[in-house]
Amino acid sequence: MPESAGGGAKVVIIHDNPEWIPPLAAAFEAEGVEFEEWLLPGITLDLSQTPADVVYWSRLSASSHTRTDPHVKEYGRAVLAWLEAAGRTVVNGAGVYELEVSKVRQHRELEGRGFDVPRTVAVFGGDGLVDAAAGFVPPFITKHNQGGKGLGVRRFDSHADFADAATEFAPGGENAPIDGITLIQEYVQPAEPFITRAEFIGGEFHYAVRVDVSGGSFELCPADACEVPGAGLASAVCDVPGDGSAQFQLRDEITAETPLVVRLGALLSELDVQLAGVEFIETADGRQVVYDINTNTNYNSGVEAGEAAAGRLPAARRIAQFLGALRTPELVASGV
């Protein structure tokens, strides 16, 4: 069973990847916020006990099954249900986790609120893959419904190429999705070779990051732990794209008043998403296509260091402040 979280901890981080924790741990230490980790799998809950009255932060990811145990999604659902049934403060709780692990759900929430999204078809199992792809003009892409770190994302420039590869995505194939759902999606060509990731903390816009995709990579996780050794631009932390600039750079021209940012903030508020990075593409014909909501968002070390050097608060420090303040005596007394 995990420790009681009563030994001075203000925040319990529920997660499935210890490699993502060190930058956050350093930020918590700098802000004087005590925390402990619940790493899945590996914890045991006594269901007769009441969870400690602290802040619980879910950092459970859609790609957990690639690192530890294929059942982590179910473990996470059980833990979050236990905490929420006890009325505990859970940041990015059960409903947000369901959004994280389903790109079908993300697409529905985005399109239902009028965002421009890529045309997408969800194929359940393997039998309909080739027929579904036939309805798209090449190039088009595939991706896993329960994705993260570019799982299942491939570009196909012809229907013949996809027909040759389709068995990879079918049950038992080497690229089969963990939940059996493959997405066939319109390929959106950016006006310039980058996508943008808008970061929100405590429901408020923090900054936007330009991510270079000139090397054709779909693995865009900004954390240092996401690096793919020897993969060139498939690495999420490759610092030298083709033009010699950093792969991750701030877009200072995007602010909290930017119309798309305002709309994204309203969406996250409606969905009770407190912490997220939302990715979008700007096309040559003026589209702003929103395609991914990352609710266990990570931050690039170069961008964070640049923020600190400029005298601005890095995102990890802002998270520590936000979570540390959620259960202060003043807020508890006011019923928050």
Side-chain angles (χ1 to χ4, degrees):
M1 181 174 178
E3 297 178 11
S4 67
K10 292 183 178 180
V11 178
V12 173
I13 303 175
I14 307 165
H15 69 98
D16 52 61
N17 186 4
E19 293 183 352
W20 285 338
I21 298 300
L24 297 166
F28 276 60
E29 182 177 353
E31 294 295 330
V33 177
E34 298 290 333
F35 74 97
E36 67 179 58
E37 301 176 45
W38 287 5
L39 175 62
L40 299 181
I43 71 167
T44 302
L45 301 178
D46 184 342
L47 300 185
S48 67
Q49 300 298 309
T50 300
D53 191 9
V54 297
V55 173
Y56 296 85
W57 174 27
S58 171
R59 278 193 50 80
L60 298 168
S61 69
S63 58
S64 59
H65 58 283
T66 67
R67 287 183 296 275
T68 53
D69 185 314
H71 303 296
V72 170
K73 179 169 65 174
E74 301 308 322
Y75 301 156
R77 285 172 168 162
V79 171
L80 297 177
W82 180 65
L83 293 171
E84 293 185 3
R88 294 298 175 248
T89 299
V90 184
V91 174
N92 281 9
V96 176
Y97 188 37
E98 296 304 324
L99 189 71
E100 167 71 13
V101 298
S102 174
K103 294 191 184 302
V104 168
R105 184 172 296 210
Q106 292 181 25
H107 189 279
R108 181 66 268 166
E109 298 291 0
L110 288 163
E111 187 175 51
R113 290 168 174 80
F115 288 92
D116 191 345
V117 294
R119 178 177 173 244
T120 304
V121 171
V123 181
F124 297 79
D127 292 343
L129 285 166
V130 173
D131 287 344
F136 287 79
V137 175
F140 55 86
I141 66 172
T142 58
K143 60 176 61 174
H144 290 180
N145 175 59
Q146 185 183 329
K149 72 173 190 179
L151 287 176
V153 183
R154 288 182 58 185
R155 170 175 165 162
F156 291 91
D157 292 318
S158 74
H159 293 114
D161 287 346
F162 180 71
D164 290 340
T167 55
E168 297 178 19
F169 298 90
E174 62 185 49
N175 203 8
I178 187 66
D179 61 2
I181 306 172
T182 299
L183 305 184
I184 311 293
Q185 192 171 84
E186 165 195 7
Y187 174 72
V188 179
Q189 178 67 50
E192 298 181 47
F194 69 86
I195 64 95
T196 300
R197 186 176 176 115
E199 300 288 355
F200 293 81
I201 298 172
E204 298 181 357
F205 176 72
H206 188 72
Y207 57 47
V209 176
R210 168 184 169 136
V211 185
D212 186 287
V213 294
S214 59
S217 172
F218 294 104
E219 162 57 285
L220 304 177
C221 166
D224 290 356
C226 291
E227 184 171 1
V228 180
L233 273 178
S235 164
V237 293
C238 177
D239 287 329
V240 188
D243 63 358
S245 62
Q247 188 183 9
F248 295 88
Q249 298 180 346
L250 282 179
R251 290 194 65 185
D252 288 325
E253 76 277 16
I254 295 182
T255 71
E257 286 72 46
T258 298
L260 180 59
V261 169
V262 173
R263 294 181 63 207
L264 290 173
L267 165 73
L268 296 178
S269 178
E270 289 179 31
L271 298 176
D272 197 28
V273 179
Q274 294 293 311
L275 300 163
V278 185
E279 295 179 2
F280 63 90
I281 296 170
E282 295 160 295
T283 68
D285 59 359
R287 294 175 67 189
Q288 291 181 307
V289 182
V290 184
Y291 67 92
D292 200 13
I293 303 173
N294 301 280
T295 66
N296 69 320
T297 187
N298 288 291
Y299 306 100
N300 178 258
S301 61
V303 172
E304 292 283 271
E307 287 290 271
R312 297 189 293 261
L313 193 67
R317 294 279 296 272
R318 177 68 190 96
I319 285 178
Q321 289 184 356
F322 165 66
L323 295 174
L326 281 181
R327 297 296 294 174
T328 62
E330 294 80 7
L331 290 177
V332 173
S334 66
V336 176

